[in-house]
Every structure is written in structure tokens, then in C-alpha cells.
Amino acid sequence: GAGVSQSPSNKVTEKGKDVELRCDPISGHTALYWYRQSLGQGLEFLIYFQGNSAPDKSGLPSDRFSAERTGGSVSTLTIQRTQQEDSAVYLCASSFSQGVGYEQYFGPGTRLTVT
Amino acid sequence: KQEVTQIPAALSVPEGENLVLNCSFTDSAIYNLQWFRQDPGKGLTSLLLIQSSQREQTSGRLNASLDKSSGRSTLYIAASQPGDSATYLCAVIPGGFKTIFGAGTRLFVKA
């Protein structure tokens, strides 16, 4: 079946502009995660959705970052007033559920460049 | 605070060699530990997931072990091939699911 998809694959934006990044999880997966991978840095957890529960936003680096998940499926990560330090690869993952034994499956990522 | 460390940071081996990648974590209260590989410019590919109650998992030439009491996991790659060249990432999934990744081990297998 289809894996996790993300769009766009690349995004170049000017400093100060808003951007939206999209993630389509694997069908039937109730858990969805966003991560950021900056050049030379490890993967950084941003936000986690599980079903209809309130998301865990504890990893969002500032209030310029927000995410939503509509209908328990597609998710959008929005970055307002982008800064150069926001340049990174943004990765989305999904899993069938939460808890012991559920693997996370990753999408190919969106490479964001803020000029 | 959970911290995940991977050693070595980089490794270069000749084809055919068996090798071990190490992952250590500071808090043993975890649900799962998952190993991934990442090829340059690509997303992550899941290799193995070990549940907290398990000691090891195997897939083909890969074997991952977990020792929660000592906060360690190892990924064993048998008979390495040039196609195994990639960055290998260890991820610890605690209760709360704020997944913590190690910085990775960059592996290069020489033909």
C-alpha cells in the first residue's frame, strides 16, 4: 500500500513569509508525528497527534509553529514569519496506534530553505 | 530527561565484515526502541523495532538487542555490503511518545 507522503518535497521561501507543509499518513494510522532535521543536527520531535486526543505540542520551538490534523488523517504544519533558522528538513511519520509494538513509518520529508 | 547516544559517530569497514552499532539511553522507562536507516537526502526506513519486554529482534542480516537495565541497544550487521552504506539512527519511544533520536552512526562499506 501507499506509504506516508509529504508535499512539497522542496520549498524555498523568503524570510518573514508563512509556509504550510502537508503530510498524508498511511491509511488507517491513528498516530502522526512531525520532526525537524537541521543540517548537522539530529531529529527533533515537534508534535504528536493520536486520534481525536489533544496533540502533544511540547516540541514546537516557538509560537510561530502550529499544526493541525483534519478528520484524523491529513496534517498541516504551518510556520509563520519564517526565519533563516527554520531551514531544515521536516519529516512526518505515522503509526497504526500508540503504545508498545507500533512502528513509526516516515515520509520522504520536505526540505525548507528560508532565504 | 531522556538522552540517546550513538557510538561510533562514523564507521568505515571493508565489504564482508560483521559490525556492531551501539545506542545508549539514560531512562529505562521506554515503550519501544526502533532502529532506522537514512540514505542521503531521503527519509527514514524502519529496520527493526524492539518492544520494551523483548530482548532482541532479527531481520535478515540484521539483529538488534535491547538491555533496558543497562540502557543499551546494539544493531549487529552481518556480512556487510556496500548497499548497507547509510546513516543508522536509534530512536527511543517513551511513555508520552515524544520520540528521542540519537545523532546516528554514518556507515561506509567499501567494496
Side-chain angles (χ1 to χ4, degrees):
Chain A
V4 178
S5 61
Q6 294 186 244
S7 60
S9 55
N10 282 284
K11 177 72 176 178
V12 180
T13 190
E14 293 180 353
K15 178 181 172 181
K17 301 279 191 181
D18 298 351
V19 295
E20 285 189 352
L21 312 179
R22 177 186 168 106
C23 172
D24 280 272
I26 293 171
S27 178
H29 280 196
T30 62
L32 186 148
Y33 309 77
W34 282 98
Y35 298 90
R36 176 170 72 174
Q37 188 172 35
S38 304
L39 189 63
Q41 304 287 321
L43 271 93
E44 174 188 9
F45 167 88
L46 297 178
I47 188 168
Y48 160 72
F49 295 89
Q50 170 58 44
N52 297 319
S53 302
D56 178 353
K57 304 180 182 179
S58 60
L60 295 178
S62 77
D63 59 8
R64 296 186 296 105
F65 287 72
S66 63
E68 63 176 20
R69 189 177 184 193
T70 54
S73 181
V74 171
S75 177
T76 303
L77 177 69
T78 301
I79 309 173
Q80 296 179 309
R81 305 182 302 281
T82 52
Q83 304 294 313
Q84 288 185 329
E85 62 262 28
D86 299 334
S87 295
V89 176
Y90 289 82
L91 292 161
C92 173
S94 71
S95 64
F96 183 74
S97 185
Q98 66 182 50
V100 174
Y102 293 108
E103 289 183 71
Q104 293 185 38
Y105 297 90
F106 277 74
T110 294
R111 181 175 299 278
L112 174 66
T113 304
V114 182
T115 60
Chain B
K1 178 188 171 187
Q2 178 73 270
E3 294 181 1
V4 180
T5 304
Q6 291 188 247
I7 293 173
L11 184 61
S12 180
V13 300
E15 182 177 7
E17 192 160 298
N18 302 325
L19 56 101
V20 175
L21 308 182
N22 296 290
C23 172
S24 62
F25 48 95
T26 55
D27 187 344
S28 63
I30 65 172
Y31 276 3
N32 305 310
L33 186 144
Q34 195 167 353
W35 283 93
F36 297 88
R37 69 174 279 168
Q38 185 175 30
D39 294 281
K42 306 285 188 182
L44 276 67
T45 300
S46 178
L47 298 174
L48 289 165
L49 178 140
I50 310 178
Q51 299 178 26
S52 59
S53 60
Q54 296 176 328
R55 298 284 292 184
E56 66 177 337
Q57 284 287 330
T58 298
S59 176
R61 294 182 295 108
L62 304 179
N63 176 278
S65 68
L66 174 64
D67 184 344
K68 275 179 46 177
S69 62
S70 65
R72 296 174 68 176
S73 176
T74 60
L75 179 67
Y76 175 83
I77 303 176
S80 58
Q81 303 171 358
D84 295 331
S85 299
T87 296
Y88 289 80
L89 295 162
C90 165
V92 170
I93 297 93
F97 309 101
K98 185 173 177 177
T99 306
I100 308 297
F101 279 84
T105 294
R106 287 198 316 278
L107 173 65
F108 180 62
V109 181
K110 298 172 285 187

